[in-house]
Amino acid sequence: QVQLVESGGGLVQPGGSLRLSCAASGTIFSINAMGWYRQAPGEQRELVAIITSGANINYADSVKGRFTISRDAAKNTVYLQMNSLKPEDTAVYYCNANINQRIGLRSRYWGQGTQVTVSS
């Protein structure tokens, strides 16, 4: 089984920064992609950023220039550096990973979610 454990959420003032971490553990042969989604109250879950095993990256238009996704492949960990935070960034942030547990077995996993609140 694979587990994704998130950390780094919290309360921050507008213009501030937070760094989210997500570590995958368990039976992992390789990771195809890891990314971050978020869901604000009354809204659907949306992709924030994703990074593939080939280091291809894409961001939601709303966070381009402010957020940076990165990875530490040796630690099976993905990070989301969030700068210049705005109140509209307030949401529960979920880590997601597309993982090969072995050759021929690929599955998607979700983290537990971490609350990010941007407010003065």
Side-chain angles (χ1 to χ4, degrees):
Q1 187 175 145
V2 173
Q3 300 83 39
L4 302 181
V5 179
E6 303 178 29
S7 63
L11 175 65
V12 65
Q13 294 184 350
S17 298
L18 286 173
R19 183 178 175 89
L20 306 183
S21 299
C22 174
S25 62
T27 304
I28 300 173
F29 177 74
S30 62
I31 298 177
N32 299 306
M34 298 186 75
W36 294 93
Y37 293 72
R38 68 185 182 186
Q39 188 167 20
E43 300 183 15
Q44 63 184 18
R45 189 173 299 186
E46 65 173 346
L47 176 67
V48 177
I50 188 168
I51 183 167
T52 71
S53 61
N56 188 31
I57 296 172
N58 64 69
Y59 297 97
D61 288 341
S62 60
V63 307
K64 286 182 179 178
R66 300 188 298 119
F67 291 10
T68 302
I69 189 170
S70 61
R71 65 176 180 175
D72 185 338
K75 297 182 178 180
N76 292 329
T77 299
V78 64
Y79 306 94
L80 186 67
Q81 179 66 46
M82 304 184 293
N83 298 326
S84 302
L85 283 162
K86 304 174 181 179
E88 49 263 46
D89 295 317
T90 296
V92 177
Y93 284 70
Y94 297 91
C95 179
N96 178 263
N98 187 312
I99 293 174
N100 297 316
Q101 294 181 260
R102 57 171 174 81
I103 295 176
L105 181 58
R106 178 188 297 177
S107 300
R108 296 187 70 187
Y109 296 88
W110 290 94
Q112 79 279 10
T114 184
Q115 177 70 48
V116 172
T117 302
V118 184
S119 176
S120 60

